[in-house]
Amino acid sequence: MVRMLQAINAHERSQLLRRQDSTPIAEPPSRVGPTFKLLMGEREHRLYPLYADSIDYIESEGNYVTIHVGAAKYLSRDSIKRLAGELAANGFIRIQRSLLLNIRSISYVEAVGRGTFAFTLCSGACLQSSASYRDAIFRALPMRRIPSRRQPA
């Protein structure tokens, strides 16, 4: 995987050197800056570079993770725990023990039960959080906390 990334970087550098004029090649603003992150995913025995801002969510499956980008699924040998720390700066939050969600791909959020939420993504996927990750969700998203409705004593 490291060799693949080195090859991609070498190719980009060679493209810059081949340009005759001095105008810089602009990258999309979402891929510029310190939060730029590239992951590698496998599908149909091919490796694909996946930009973190294009990923909808990541799901754990044993020793592997499935990376969901729209309707496409990519496999990678990684862990949710490691990816959660690495992708936190890119807007990823953990909503379940086995789910990592890109907050930029959320279409809307609905409260489902006591501390659980249903996230509907722009791709149409619907993911449900667990109550144990409620505080992390409130820290990451600007939602107001709904006070508990206790009966007066």
Side-chain angles (χ1 to χ4, degrees), residues 10-70:
H11 177 72
E12 289 174 356
R13 280 194 305 266
S14 69
Q15 292 297 331
L16 285 173
L17 294 174
R18 286 185 193 157
R19 277 183 72 92
Q20 297 299 324
D21 57 351
S22 62
T23 57
I25 297 175
E27 289 201 24
S30 60
R31 294 185 183 158
V32 176
T35 60
F36 167 74
K37 187 67 184 163
L38 181 71
L39 299 176
M40 296 301 290
E42 180 184 346
R43 185 178 69 177
E44 299 172 357
H45 303 290
R46 294 180 183 153
L47 292 174
Y48 294 90
L50 304 170
Y51 297 102
D53 58 349
S54 66
I55 297 171
D56 292 329
Y57 66 100
I58 301 173
E59 184 176 19
S60 173
E61 293 185 15
N63 293 333
Y64 293 87
V65 292
T66 302
I67 303 169
H68 296 264
V69 180

Side-chain angles (χ1 to χ4, degrees), residues 95 101 106 108-109 117-121 125-129 137 141:
I95 62 168
L101 173 66
I106 298 172
Y108 60 91
V109 181
F117 301 96
F119 295 91
T120 302
L121 308 183
C126 187
L127 305 173
Q128 191 165 343
S129 69
I137 292 168
L141 297 175

Side-chain angles (χ1 to χ4, degrees), residues 112-134:
V112 177
R114 298 183 63 94
T116 61
F117 301 96
F119 295 91
T120 302
L121 308 183
C122 296
S123 65
C126 187
L127 305 173
Q128 191 165 343
S129 69
S130 66
S132 59
Y133 292 95
R134 177 181 56 129

Side-chain angles (χ1 to χ4, degrees), residues 90-120:
N90 291 79
F92 282 80
I93 58 170
R94 204 161 173 185
I95 62 168
Q96 272 189 25
R97 185 173 177 244
S98 62
L99 283 176
L100 194 58
L101 173 66
N102 185 353
I103 60 173
R104 292 181 184 104
S105 66
I106 298 172
S107 181
Y108 60 91
V109 181
E110 295 176 296
V112 177
R114 298 183 63 94
T116 61
F117 301 96
F119 295 91
T120 302

